[in-house]
Amino acid sequence: MTVVMYGTGWCAFCMMARRLLRGKGVEFQEIRVDDDPEQRRVMEERSGRHTVPQVFAGEDHLGGYTDLVELDQRGELDERLGL
């Protein structure tokens, strides 16, 4: 399963999401929306949100950093990530 994270280089929540995913051993593709405004539009269209990060596992929208933490606390994140 491909995990994609839309983010920016300077966002603290993006940094924390990267750390969380890497800590779980998840390889992910990062799309920098601060480098490519067209990708920000794609992110907003896919997620319905304008904040970063936005994380997808395949076509499954997992949400932003706080959503990832909530999923992890409920014991659902690993399964959604395909671990």
Side-chain angles (χ1 to χ4, degrees):
M1 170 181 332
T2 302
V3 176
V4 174
M5 182 181 107
Y6 292 88
T8 66
W10 47 266
C11 164
F13 286 101
C14 296
M15 292 176 206
M16 292 186 290
R18 284 184 203 99
R19 190 176 319 124
L20 175 63
L21 293 171
R22 288 180 182 139
K24 291 189 165 289
V26 174
E27 291 186 28
F28 60 95
Q29 174 191 4
E30 183 170 357
I31 299 173
R32 294 275 304 267
V33 299
D34 52 344
D35 292 338
D36 188 343
E38 177 60 22
Q39 287 300 322
R40 179 175 286 278
R41 186 192 64 73
V42 171
M43 176 198 77
E44 290 174 353
E45 202 171 272
R46 285 186 76 188
S47 69
R49 297 180 181 179
H50 64 276
T51 58
V52 290
Q54 293 301 320
V55 179
F56 291 82
E59 292 301 313
D60 185 16
H61 179 227
L62 303 179
Y65 174 70
T66 54
D67 299 307
L68 295 178
V69 170
E70 288 175 11
L71 287 169
D72 200 29
Q73 290 173 342
R74 291 195 312 255
E76 299 173 19
L77 184 58
D78 288 358
E79 181 179 345
R80 302 268 303 264
L81 290 169
L83 301 176

